[in-house]
Amino acid sequence: MSEDLKLTILKRLDSDGLIESTRVAFKDVPEETVLGALKSLESQEKVSYKTLTTEFWTIEPEGKDQLENGSYEARIFAAVPAGSQGVSMKDLEAQFGKVAKLGQGKCMAEKWLKKDGDMLVRLVDSVVDQVKANLEVVNAEGMHPDPSVIKDLKRRKLIKANKILSYAVKKGADFSTELKKQATDLTLEMLQSGAWKSSEFKKFNFDSLGVNAAGGHLHPLMKVREEFRQVFFETGFEEMPTNNFVESSFWNFDALFVPQQHPARKLQDTFFLIDPVHANALPDFWERVKDVHEKGGYGSIGYRYNWSEEEAKTLVLRTHTTAITAHMLHKLAQGPYRPAKYFSIDRVYRNEAVDATHLAEFHQVEGVIADKNMSLGSLIAFLDMFFKKMGMSNLRFKPTYNPYTEPSMEIFSYHEGLGRWLEIGNSGMFRPEMLRSLGLEEGVQVAGFGLSLERPTMFKYSINNIRELVGHKVKLSDIAANPACRLDKKMGREAEQQSAAVNKI
C-alpha cells in the first residue's frame, strides 16, 4: 500500500503540478498513512509539503439532548401555562430535575418569564428556540457563520472543537516518478561487489532525538539524601555503617543513658522483636553502664533504680541512628585518641499512628563531632556553617530536654515564604554518663545533631502528604519526572512561597 501510494502521489504531481489537499485527493486513505508516504518521499527530496489544519465542531452529549428535545429554556417556557396562573419552581424541579434551574435562569435573562411570588408566569406568548436552531446548523455544517454563536455554544459545553489535518504537496528538488529503493547501511557485500557506487543511500537525520533510553529513576528521598551526604563530606565527616536495623535495648537506650522506665521504651513507641526476643550477650563494658544508671558517676547521681540485664538484652527495631553512633564512639575509644566526625542517614522505626506527616518508619540524618575542648559554642558555630550550605542562614536555638544530651537545643530557621520560624532539627552535647561509660577519656566532648530526611524532601518537592512520598500511593510518573535536588537553591514549595511573598509586597 505504501509504495503504491507513493507512486500515486508522484504521478498526480507529474500531471497536475500540485496537490492542494491530500484529504480531497485521497479521501479514502487515512491521513497518517498519507503522512508516512510524504515523509518518505520528502527524505528523497522528491516532494515537499506543508500541513493544513481545518477546525470543525461536533455536538456534545448535552448538546445532542437539546438538539433532539429542545433547549432547556424552551422546555421550561413550554411548561409554564399561558396567562397569569403560572407554575411553581418546585413543580418544575419535580418534572425536569436540574434542567429546571438552568432553563429558568435563561428564561429570566431572555425576559420570557418573570417571578410572581413563588410562581413563574409568562411575559410573552411564544418564543423561538434559537439554541436548537443553532445546534442544527452546527450539526449539519460542522461550523456556524456567526462566531458569537460558536462562542456561546462552547461556553455552555454543547459543542466541542475538532481539527482535521491535511497536506498541500508540491514537487521537490529531485522530483521524478521513479521510485528507487534506498539503502540504509553500507554493508560488507556492497564493498566487496562495488554495488555501493551505484546505490542510493538514505540520508541520516542528525536532528532526530531517537528513542529514549530505558532506565531507572532516583526517588526524591535519595536525591535529597545524596545532597546531604555531599554536605557532610565537604565538611570532613566520615559515614557510619547503618546496616544494623535490629539493636538490643542496651545499644538503643541503655548505652545512651536512657533509663529503663523511660516512656520511649514502651510498646506504644517502639517495635519489639518476637523471635528472638533477646540478644545473646551484652558488650564487655555493660557493668559500667549498669553502675552509672544505678549509682551515677562522672558528676551524676544516676537514676537510682535496679537496672535489669534482661531488659537491656531485649531486641528492638532501632528507634534512632544514635544507636550506631554509640557503637562508633565505643570503637573510637578503643584506640589512641583522635578527633572524629561521623554522620549517618538511614531508616529508623517508631510505633506511631500514620497520618499526613508521620509514618511508622522514616529516615534520620545524624551528625556527631568528637574532640577535646568541644563546647556548645563550637556546636552552634558549626551548625551555622552547616545549614548555610543548605540555604538556611537565619538560625535560632531553643533549650530543650533529651535524655542523653545536656545541654540540648532545638534548631529553628526562619522561612521567608511562610513568614515564620520552623523547627528543622535537634542538637546537644552528649552527657558524660554516656561518653565515659563507652570508654572515651576525660576531656573528650561529643556534640550531636539530627533531623529527618522526609520533611525537607516534602518541602523541596511540594508534597503535602508523606504517603505520596513513601508507600503505595507514590506515582511512578512523578518519580520519573521530578527534578534534581539543590539544597542551596529554592525549589518546589519554597520557590512558590517566596514568589507569593514578593507578589504580595
Side-chain angles (χ1 to χ4, degrees):
M1 174 65 181
S2 179
E3 294 301 312
D4 292 341
L5 180 59
K6 291 178 192 176
L7 282 171
T8 304
I9 292 171
L10 293 174
K11 288 177 180 178
R12 177 68 68 90
L13 284 174
D14 190 44
S15 62
D16 299 345
L18 177 70
I19 299 174
E20 292 184 355
S21 171
T22 55
R23 186 172 180 81
V24 175
F26 311 106
K27 59 183 178 181
D28 295 328
V29 182
E31 284 302 313
E32 57 267 23
T33 305
V34 174
L35 179 60
L38 290 177
K39 285 184 174 181
S40 177
L41 291 172
E42 185 185 46
S43 69
Q44 301 173 49
E45 298 185 350
K46 291 186 179 295
V47 305
S48 64
Y49 68 93
K50 66 177 181 179
T51 303
L52 307 174
T53 304
T54 305
E55 189 175 64
F56 73 101
W57 298 86
T58 55
I59 310 297
E60 290 282 71
E62 190 174 348
K64 288 179 180 178
D65 174 42
Q66 297 190 44
L67 178 64
E68 294 171 4
N69 304 309
S71 66
Y72 294 158
E73 51 265 41
R75 289 187 226 175
I76 297 303
F77 179 83
V80 177
S84 59
Q85 180 182 353
V87 66
S88 70
M89 192 64 195
K90 184 177 180 181
D91 290 339
L92 289 175
E93 287 177 348
Q95 183 179 352
F96 293 100
K98 69 173 185 178
V99 170
K101 191 171 183 179
L102 296 171
Q104 176 251 332
K106 285 290 181 183
C107 286
M108 302 281 282
E110 296 289 342
K111 294 185 170 33
W112 295 351
L113 301 176
K114 71 173 183 177
K115 275 191 175 182
D116 186 2
D118 294 332
M119 309 296 285
L120 288 174
V121 295
R122 288 189 180 187
L123 288 173
V124 294
D125 294 328
S126 63
V127 297
V128 176
D129 191 351
Q130 193 59 50
V131 172
K132 181 179 179 181
N134 290 336
L135 286 170
E136 287 172 346
V137 173
V138 173
N139 191 47
E141 305 293 336
M143 58 180 296
H144 196 283
D146 187 349
S148 64
V149 171
I150 292 292
K151 183 178 180 181
D152 181 60
L153 294 177
K154 180 184 176 184
R155 180 182 59 79
R156 294 177 68 170
K157 298 181 180 177
L158 302 181
I159 60 174
K160 181 178 72 172
N162 297 269
K163 290 182 179 180
I164 298 176
L165 294 181
S166 183
Y167 307 96
V169 190
K170 62 181 182 180
K171 294 178 181 180
D174 195 20
F175 176 80
S176 73
T177 57
E178 181 186 359
L179 277 179
K180 192 174 182 181
K181 187 173 177 63
Q182 292 180 308
T184 55
D185 293 300
L186 181 63
T187 65
L188 177 62
E189 290 76 13
M190 286 182 177
L191 292 172
Q192 289 175 338
S193 66
W196 63 273
K197 296 177 183 178
S198 58
S199 295
E200 185 177 326
F201 289 90
K202 189 173 182 179
K203 291 183 178 180
F204 283 105
N205 181 5
F206 292 103
D207 295 325
S208 175
L209 296 178
V211 179
N212 288 331
H217 303 277
L218 285 175
H219 190 281
L221 276 174
M222 295 301 99
K223 292 182 179 181
V224 178
R225 177 180 181 272
E226 187 57 30
E227 281 290 298
F228 270 108
R229 290 181 77 243
Q230 293 309 313
V231 172
F232 277 115
F233 288 138
E234 287 171 13
T235 47
F237 279 73
E238 174 186 347
E239 190 165 15
M240 295 185 278
T242 56
N243 55 351
N244 218 25
F245 294 98
V246 175
E247 291 282 3
S248 67
S249 290
F250 179 86
W251 285 108
N252 198 77
F253 297 116
D254 295 275
L256 305 182
F257 198 54
V258 178
Q260 293 184 341
Q261 66 271 26
H262 194 279
R265 301 179 67 150
K266 303 304 178 186
L267 185 62
Q268 63 266 29
D269 291 313
T270 303
F271 289 108
F272 292 88
L273 265 66
I274 296 176
D275 185 21
V277 175
H278 295 104
N280 292 329
L282 296 178
D284 55 10
F285 66 95
W286 69 270
E287 290 186 347
R288 290 205 302 267
V289 172
K290 175 186 177 182
D291 286 345
V292 81
H293 276 250
E294 291 183 343
K295 306 171 187 174
Y298 320 109
S300 167
I301 63 170
Y303 291 115
R304 304 290 178 171
Y305 71 97
N306 293 322
W307 187 85
S308 167
E309 183 179 350
E310 183 180 6
E311 171 67 22
K313 288 182 178 180
T314 304
L315 292 173
V316 299
L317 289 179
R318 67 183 180 209
T319 61
H320 46 201
T321 53
T322 316
I324 307 296
T325 300
H327 280 282
M328 294 302 293
L329 292 177
H330 175 63
K331 184 178 178 181
L332 179 68
Q334 305 314 299
Y337 164 76
R338 67 175 180 88
K341 292 180 178 179
Y342 298 125
F343 82 92
S344 63
I345 308 173
D346 213 333
R347 292 186 184 187
V348 297
Y349 305 87
R350 305 275 175 86
N351 194 1
E352 294 184 346
V354 175
D355 58 29
T357 56
H358 296 85
L359 291 177
E361 61 177 285
F362 61 94
H363 290 76
Q364 182 176 337
V365 181
E366 180 167 344
V368 293
I369 306 170
D371 201 353
K372 288 185 176 180
N373 301 317
M374 186 74 186
S375 68
L376 190 66
S378 308
L379 174 60
I380 290 173
F382 173 80
L383 291 175
D384 188 58
M385 179 271 294
F386 180 83
F387 283 103
K388 272 183 180 176
K389 286 182 173 288
M390 294 186 287
M392 303 178 191
S393 57
N394 199 354
L395 299 183
R396 277 183 180 175
F397 301 92
K398 174 185 172 184
T400 189
Y401 169 76
N402 291 318
Y404 46 87
T405 58
E406 180 61 37
S408 305
M409 304 180 300
E410 291 174 342
I411 310 166
F412 290 81
S413 174
Y414 187 77
H415 193 279
E416 295 177 1
L418 291 175
R420 61 188 177 91
W421 292 89
L422 294 178
E423 183 183 352
I424 57 173
N426 213 315
S427 64
M429 303 296 297
F430 284 114
R431 297 176 69 108
E433 297 97 322
M434 168 189 167
L435 300 179
R436 305 303 163 242
S437 298
L438 290 172
L440 289 169
E441 64 183 73
E442 197 74 31
V444 176
Q445 304 295 330
V446 180
F449 61 96
L451 60 152
S452 80
L453 187 64
E454 280 76 4
R455 178 172 287 187
T457 303
M458 290 173 69
F459 217 75
K460 287 287 182 184
Y461 288 95
S462 298
I463 297 171
N464 295 318
N465 192 326
I466 195 170
R467 288 166 288 196
E468 295 174 5
L469 177 68
V470 180
H472 67 282
K473 291 188 177 181
V474 174
K475 295 180 180 177
L476 295 181
S477 58
D478 292 346
I479 301 298
N482 63 62
C485 174
R486 287 284 302 275
L487 291 177
D488 60 338
K489 299 291 183 183
K490 295 190 184 300
M491 57 182 285
R493 198 179 306 154
E494 296 172 309
E496 293 166 10
Q497 291 168 343
Q498 186 181 49
S499 176
V502 170
N503 293 335
K504 189 176 180 180
I505 293 171

